[in-house]
Amino acid sequence: MSELAPLAVILTALPLEYMSVREHAVVDEVRVHSHGTRVECARLPGTSWRVALVEVGMGSRTTAILTERMVEWLAPQMVIFVGVAGGLKDDIGMGDVVFGEKVYGIHGGKSAPEGFLVRPEAWPLSHRLEQAVRAAVRGRPDVHVGAIASGDVVLADASSDIANHLRAHYNDALALDMEGVGLVEAAHLAGGLDAIVVRGISDKANDGKKAADAAGFQKVAADKAAEAMVSLLALLGPPTPHPAAERSPREGAPDALPPLVPDSLDWILPKPEGDVLRAMASLGARSSDGRFTSAAVDSVAAEVVPHLTRERAEGILRSLIGRRYLRKSPGGRLEVTPEGLQALVRWRGNR
């Protein structure tokens, strides 16, 4: 079993965007979902992350569906969309990069006799990601942090109704894309999973788009966006555990468990997850320090859930880490958190 490096799913729309990202990765495995979605799994040198690359095609609906599929299948710690976009500000040049501090869904509203009444929706970055982005762009005038407008439209006319709509209602947007809203909404519905949109500016969202594409600016912009994405991941480790998880699960007697965390968490574990967590808690109780090595994890997965594939076992472990039921110590060992023990109590009560 792998060392359980944090996993980021990276989605792209166009083949050239995909290849720009792939140039930074060392692919070591290809996986195919039961519905046919194909991903390349890879190491990302210079970072602590593994990545799963998937080309989803254009459009927000497909992006949303496949983002949810990747989350359920691979249990990543983060989802990222990398690609090109049209620039909406004069001071952002061709080939510049925009990190989406927030993503607007631009099509929400009501058509009324007095005109179109906008009902804005926006999905902001988590504070953790926002701070890492600001660190990554510091001292780089060609990389920007700001709002991205997102909707199923290609803008090639700066005087069009949609261009006027953006200027009137989303005036702080730095770029316009088609897929970002699908990614961030799917991540939000997956329990607030970290998500970010990274876009290279390949045109100015005006009638010069065709000439800019012909001049090769899409490739330039895609390369810059991929490079910026790698720079961001180089700064990031896995998501920080909840402060309550910093206490050792061995503190106090078994009948003095920490207080229950909010009931909004999903306490009812599927049986394989419950079995793995129960086995790890038992193993930790027998260990001298309450922790266990990757070899011990391998043994638990093989003995407790022998019917699981390696891929599914790793997915369960990532899911338990992502839900803060397990955590990885600075020394690389795993341990069951207080939240994990409470989850087991509730899980046993619901079986």
Side-chain angles (χ1 to χ4, degrees), residues 34-73:
S34 59
H35 295 323
T37 308
R38 180 178 295 267
V39 303
E40 289 189 305
C41 301
R43 293 183 292 107
L44 200 62
T47 80
S48 62
W49 293 78
R50 284 185 59 78
V51 293
L53 312 179
V54 55
E55 183 183 333
V56 301
M58 295 171 63
S60 62
R61 285 175 295 182
T62 301
T63 298
I65 291 168
L66 292 183
T67 298
E68 182 177 21
R69 180 173 296 170
M70 294 300 102
V71 170
E72 290 297 315
W73 182 30

Side-chain angles (χ1 to χ4, degrees), residues 8-335:
V9 170
I10 302 175
L11 301 93
T12 66
L14 305 176
L16 65 86
E17 296 168 342
Y18 187 94
M19 293 308 299
S20 291
V21 174
R22 198 180 189 280
E23 287 169 6
H24 294 271
V26 179
V27 175
D28 52 29
E29 186 178 5
V30 176
R31 297 184 183 181
V32 182
H33 188 270
S34 59
H35 295 323
T37 308
R38 180 178 295 267
V39 303
E40 289 189 305
C41 301
R43 293 183 292 107
L44 200 62
T47 80
S48 62
W49 293 78
R50 284 185 59 78
V51 293
L53 312 179
V54 55
E55 183 183 333
V56 301
M58 295 171 63
S60 62
R61 285 175 295 182
T62 301
T63 298
I65 291 168
L66 292 183
T67 298
E68 182 177 21
R69 180 173 296 170
M70 294 300 102
V71 170
E72 290 297 315
W73 182 30
L74 300 176
Q77 280 72 52
M78 186 187 310
V79 290
I80 308 171
F81 207 101
V82 178
V84 302
L88 298 176
K89 297 294 184 182
D90 293 338
D91 58 350
I92 295 182
M94 306 272 275
D96 282 11
V97 174
V98 174
F99 282 101
E101 182 180 21
K102 60 183 172 183
V103 176
Y104 289 124
I106 66 171
H107 292 310
K110 176 182 179 181
S111 183
E114 60 269 36
F116 187 76
L117 306 179
V118 175
R119 294 177 175 176
E121 291 184 289
W123 292 264
L125 283 181
S126 68
H127 180 66
R128 180 182 94 99
L129 269 183
E130 181 262 338
Q131 287 291 293
V133 166
R134 293 193 182 282
V137 308
R138 202 165 288 139
R140 296 194 57 180
D142 60 336
V143 184
H144 313 269
V145 183
I148 291 176
S150 187
D152 283 312
V153 60
V154 175
L155 184 56
D157 181 359
S159 63
S160 64
D161 289 344
I162 190 66
N164 292 331
H165 174 76
L166 291 172
R167 281 191 290 269
H169 303 292
Y170 303 97
N171 188 254
D172 62 330
L174 306 184
L176 173 67
D177 80 2
M178 296 179 67
E179 296 81 24
V181 66
L183 180 93
V184 295
E185 185 168 16
H188 169 74
L189 294 174
L193 180 68
D194 273 344
I196 189 166
V197 179
V198 187
R199 292 291 184 175
I201 302 303
S202 61
D203 62 78
K204 300 296 285 185
N206 58 22
D207 57 6
K209 174 175 170 50
K210 185 175 181 180
D213 290 351
F217 277 102
Q218 282 194 330
K219 177 59 176 170
V220 171
D223 285 348
K224 292 287 292 293
E227 177 190 348
M229 178 273 299
V230 174
S231 297
L232 173 64
L233 288 183
L235 292 177
L236 283 170
T240 304
H242 190 278
E246 294 303 317
R247 299 187 299 271
S248 168
R250 294 179 59 82
E251 291 177 359
D255 59 350
L257 292 173
L260 287 175
V261 295
D263 285 337
S264 59
L265 289 178
D266 176 13
W267 287 109
I268 302 176
L269 296 169
K271 188 175 188 306
E273 279 82 346
D275 287 341
V276 170
L277 189 58
R278 174 180 52 78
M280 289 188 171
S282 176
L283 178 65
R286 298 195 303 271
S287 169
S288 61
D289 61 359
R291 302 176 181 184
F292 27 92
T293 65
S294 58
V297 172
D298 240 353
S299 175
V300 168
E303 292 176 10
V304 177
V305 281
H307 61 284
L308 295 181
T309 63
R310 172 180 170 177
E311 173 186 318
R312 178 66 176 124
E314 289 189 2
I316 287 174
L317 292 172
R318 289 196 185 96
S319 175
L320 292 172
I321 292 170
R323 294 160 78 176
R324 303 189 180 104
Y325 296 161
L326 295 178
R327 66 178 177 183
K328 193 170 183 180
S329 72
R333 293 188 174 194
L334 288 174
E335 58 187 339

